[in-house]
Amino acid sequence: MTPRVPPATDSRPDDAAGLLLPVPDEDGAPFWEYAARGELRIQACDDCGALRFPPRPCCPHCQSFAARWQKMSGRGRIWSYVLPHPPLLPAYAALPGYNAIVVELAEAPRIRLVGNLVTAADAPLNSVAPARLRIGAPVKAAFHTLPEGVTVPRWLLERP
């Protein structure tokens, strides 16, 4: 799931132009398909039951190639975060104070997902004041469909 930067364009009125987008590969495509349905699912071994992320063809625990996608509650806690500066890409310069967080899933503490903490699924990436970020804060997944058609999980504080 290597990120890509879409080509710059002046025709899009939204703030998503030039932001990094996921590029699903064969193993990770189901993750994005479920996200488009508003579901957070994690790949699980069909033989030993171990959850794994990022998705891959073989279980690192038992080496089985049998897999399924297990539905998660979408709840977790902030495990880590960063407030990037200076912005690495021009599109992020318009979003000072944005965050990137690492979320530890409630049902699978060894599974951690990277995203952004926002006030609503469609809110700007800098909608949460940096002072509100706390390690251990409970969060829940929300899904946002970008103009390019890909749906990404974002995170909301459980107690706003």
Side-chain angles (χ1 to χ4, degrees):
M1 291 189 280
T2 307
R4 71 174 169 83
V5 179
T9 176
D10 295 330
S11 64
R12 288 196 303 223
D14 56 73
D15 64 353
L19 299 184
L20 293 172
L21 296 173
V23 178
D25 58 16
E26 185 178 336
D27 297 319
F31 176 85
W32 301 107
E33 291 165 10
Y34 285 116
R37 293 188 227 164
E39 295 180 20
L40 183 64
R41 290 191 182 238
I42 299 296
Q43 191 181 46
C45 178
D46 224 7
D47 288 334
C48 75
L51 295 171
R52 59 184 186 251
F53 194 88
R56 48 194 167 251
C58 180
C59 177
H61 303 285
C62 73
Q63 287 69 53
S64 170
F65 285 90
R68 58 185 160 77
W69 287 86
Q70 185 169 319
K71 190 171 184 178
M72 305 270 89
S73 70
R75 297 198 175 330
R77 66 180 192 93
I78 298 176
W79 188 79
S80 183
Y81 68 90
V82 65
L83 299 169
H85 9 214
L88 302 175
L89 297 170
Y92 292 88
L95 300 167
Y98 76 94
N99 62 70
I101 66 171
V102 179
V103 173
E104 178 182 74
L105 295 182
E107 304 98 324
R110 291 178 32 200
I111 301 292
R112 297 184 184 119
L113 303 177
V114 177
N116 303 101
L117 184 67
V118 292
T119 56
D122 59 351
L125 296 183
N126 62 354
S127 62
V128 173
R132 301 211 47 223
L133 294 166
R134 296 281 186 266
I135 301 294
V139 294
K140 60 184 174 184
F143 296 90
H144 176 66
T145 302
L146 298 169
E148 294 80 5
V150 65
T151 301
V152 296
R154 290 183 171 180
W155 301 93
L156 309 173
L157 288 169
E158 287 264 17
R159 295 183 286 269

